[in-house]
């Protein structure tokens, strides 16, 4: 009931210039505030929702970066990477940390939490009892990634990229262009469904692969497509879908959209590249023999459709934010995953919120 909560949440400003999404929409912030949860929102000139919308929803507005001085029991929520300071993190941070798959920065990040006594509640690992994520941007990542691949293949992709709406993107996809053959790997997941919907909007001929189709990988079938969209979230060792030697075969394949972007992880299913692309330079020509092969591997694709993506994600996440105060099994599993990852690096378990 309203008035009974002691939960305090700060939604931080995103320091990445191209990040326009928000984990909590103004409408959902109003619902949380109405139940007695204190929501502080850092001012942000780039967020898709105006600061005034949050003020009208009953949130407290604060300067960007003020989360550093918030009380230690505050939950700090964001989406992408934290700034480098402070070195020691004392709060419970809710965001996509990308630190549990052996990524290069993982130990350094987890050490910051160990030194400050804070904790990472990684949104990628906020899962139900069956291991399924309860809140994800996957659909919109897949949609944007596949759409960019089509537009580039047709010569209609302009750089730098600019955020827009699904309606605007769909108009671009319906523009006249050459027929496209595309393969989506991971087609049954959230990300894959988004990719397939974008390809349908573009009138593409789409082949859909999922677990069954990748048990015995038909690499030559991949090379016969115009576009490959990788929508697989690998959680363990997986046979790479493409390797450098494979690309020496004759191929039709000319554009790859790697939505997963598992660069730096041992689970990387496309080890033919080792650096993501950017909004400024969204496409990279891979240095392989034969016909051109271009890569799109942007690690915040849903921010190209910031309003739709934020509204969808916030609606998924908000019901679970109501229970933060009590740390039910959903959040407890998330915390346990953080502790196990820290222990794997030999870091001390000094969680001051336990």
């Amino acid at each position: 009931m309203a008035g009974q909560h002691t939960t305090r949440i700060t939604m931080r400003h995103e320091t990445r210039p191209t990040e326009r999404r928000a984990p909590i929409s103004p409408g959902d912030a109003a619902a949380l505030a109405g139940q007695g949860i204190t929501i502080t929102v850092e001012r942000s000139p780039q967020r898709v929702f105006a600061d005034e919308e949050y003020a009208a929803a009953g949130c407290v507005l604060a300067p960007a970066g003020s989360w550093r001085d918030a009380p230690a029991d505050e939950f700090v929520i964001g989406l992408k990477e934290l700034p480098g300071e402070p070195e020691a993190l004392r709060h419970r941070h809710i965001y996509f940390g990308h630190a549990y798959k052996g990524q290069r920065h993982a130990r350094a990040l987890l050490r910051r939490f160990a030194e400050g006594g804070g904790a990472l509640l990684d949104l990628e690992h906020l899962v139900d009892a069956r291991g399924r994520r309860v809140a994800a941007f996957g659909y919109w990542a897949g949609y944007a990634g596949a759409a960019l691949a089509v537009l580039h293949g047709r010569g209609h992709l302009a750089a730098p990229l600019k955020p827009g709406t699904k309606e605007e993107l769909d108009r671009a996809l319906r523009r006249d262009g050459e027929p496209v053959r595309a393969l989506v790997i991971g087609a049954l997941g959230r990300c894959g469904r988004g990719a397939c919907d974008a390809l349908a909007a573009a009138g593409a001929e789409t082949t859909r692969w999922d677990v069954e189709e990748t048990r015995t990988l038909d690499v030559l079938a991949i090379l016969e497509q115009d576009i490959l969209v990788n929508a697989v979230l690998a959680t363990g060792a997986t046979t790479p879908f493409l390797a450098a030697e494979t690309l020496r075969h004759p191929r039709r394949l000319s554009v790859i959209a790697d939505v997963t972007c598992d660069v730096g992880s041992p689970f990387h299913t496309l080890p033919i590249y080792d650096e993501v692309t950017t909004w400024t330079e969204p496409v990279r020509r891979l240095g392989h023999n034969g016909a051109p092969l271009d890569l799109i591997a942007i690690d915040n694709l849903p921010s190209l459709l910031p309003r739709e993506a934020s509204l969808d994600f916030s609606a998924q996440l908000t019901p679970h934010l109501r229970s933060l105060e009590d740390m039910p099994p959903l959040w407890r599993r998330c915390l346990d995953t953080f502790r196990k990852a820290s222990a794997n690096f030999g870091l001390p378990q000094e969680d001051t919120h336990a």
Side-chain angles (χ1 to χ4, degrees):
M1 294 176 61
Q4 292 186 338
H5 274 284
T6 59
T7 306
R8 300 177 58 88
I9 299 172
T10 289
M11 185 169 75
R12 60 179 169 85
H13 159 70
E14 298 289 337
T15 56
R16 186 186 293 208
T18 59
E19 189 49 73
R20 303 192 67 231
R21 293 172 293 171
I24 308 173
S25 70
D28 289 330
L32 292 170
Q35 294 173 338
I37 297 176
T38 301
I39 307 289
T40 299
V41 175
E42 292 187 352
R43 294 181 180 275
S44 175
Q46 65 200 44
R47 191 183 292 128
V48 69
F49 305 112
D51 297 337
E52 292 71 25
E53 293 182 70
Y54 288 102
C59 302
V60 178
L61 296 182
S66 59
W67 62 265
R68 297 173 176 86
D69 301 317
D73 63 350
E74 194 100 353
F75 291 92
V76 180
I77 188 169
L79 292 174
K80 300 303 287 185
E81 62 274 359
L82 289 165
E85 296 294 333
E87 178 62 28
L89 298 169
R90 62 192 178 93
H91 295 97
R92 288 167 291 186
H93 284 265
I94 303 170
Y95 76 109
F96 292 98
H98 302 301
Y100 299 161
K101 293 184 178 179
Q103 292 95 331
R104 288 187 288 263
H105 71 279
R107 193 178 197 282
L109 174 62
L110 295 177
R111 173 179 279 179
R112 293 175 68 187
F113 285 102
E115 291 178 350
L120 169 59
L121 299 171
D122 196 309
L123 287 166
E124 187 175 341
H125 299 271
L126 186 64
V127 297
D128 62 20
R130 298 175 298 167
R132 181 175 174 79
R133 289 170 62 181
V134 300
F137 283 102
Y139 179 87
W140 297 102
Y143 202 99
L148 294 183
V150 170
L151 295 178
H152 176 64
R154 290 175 172 172
H156 296 157
L157 186 63
L161 301 178
K162 296 180 180 179
T165 66
K166 180 177 180 294
E167 182 179 357
E168 293 168 339
L169 187 57
D170 285 351
R171 281 201 298 270
L173 291 175
R174 288 193 293 266
R175 228 184 276 168
D176 289 339
E178 293 295 321
V180 174
R181 290 168 54 180
L183 168 64
V184 177
I185 304 182
L188 298 183
R190 289 187 181 100
C191 183
R193 292 198 303 272
C196 290
D197 285 351
L199 292 167
E205 176 188 331
T206 304
T207 300
R208 296 167 171 82
W209 285 5
D210 209 81
V211 175
E212 289 302 320
E213 292 81 3
T214 55
R215 289 190 194 281
T216 304
L217 200 64
D218 186 350
V219 174
L220 295 182
I222 298 176
L223 300 181
E224 292 171 359
Q225 310 296 319
D226 295 306
I227 292 171
L228 167 64
V229 181
N230 177 30
V232 173
L233 178 63
T235 56
T238 304
T239 302
F241 299 145
L242 290 175
E245 57 270 19
T246 309
L247 298 178
R248 298 189 182 97
H249 291 277
R251 57 181 164 77
R252 176 174 176 148
L253 183 67
S254 61
V255 183
I256 297 173
D258 187 7
V259 181
T260 305
C261 288
D262 258 339
V263 177
S265 163
F267 308 151
H268 193 18
T269 55
L270 290 172
I272 54 175
Y273 78 97
D274 58 7
E275 293 289 341
V276 297
T277 63
T278 66
W279 286 40
T280 305
E281 298 179 0
V283 181
R284 178 179 303 129
R285 178 67 51 88
L286 296 179
H288 296 287
N289 298 329
L293 180 61
D294 291 337
L295 169 75
I296 299 171
I298 298 170
D299 65 359
N300 67 332
L301 280 167
S303 203
L304 291 166
L305 300 169
R307 182 170 294 273
E308 293 93 339
S310 296
L311 289 171
D312 184 22
F313 184 83
S314 178
Q316 297 173 56
L317 180 63
T318 296
H320 305 291
L321 293 177
R322 297 188 183 107
S323 66
L324 265 174
E325 181 180 358
D326 301 320
M327 289 297 285
L330 178 83
W331 289 104
R332 185 61 58 179
R333 281 191 295 270
C334 196
L335 182 59
D336 287 345
T337 302
F338 160 72
R339 288 172 173 163
K340 289 175 184 175
S342 298
N344 287 340
F345 282 111
L347 296 171
Q349 303 294 296
E350 297 291 341
D351 184 356
T352 59
H353 304 286

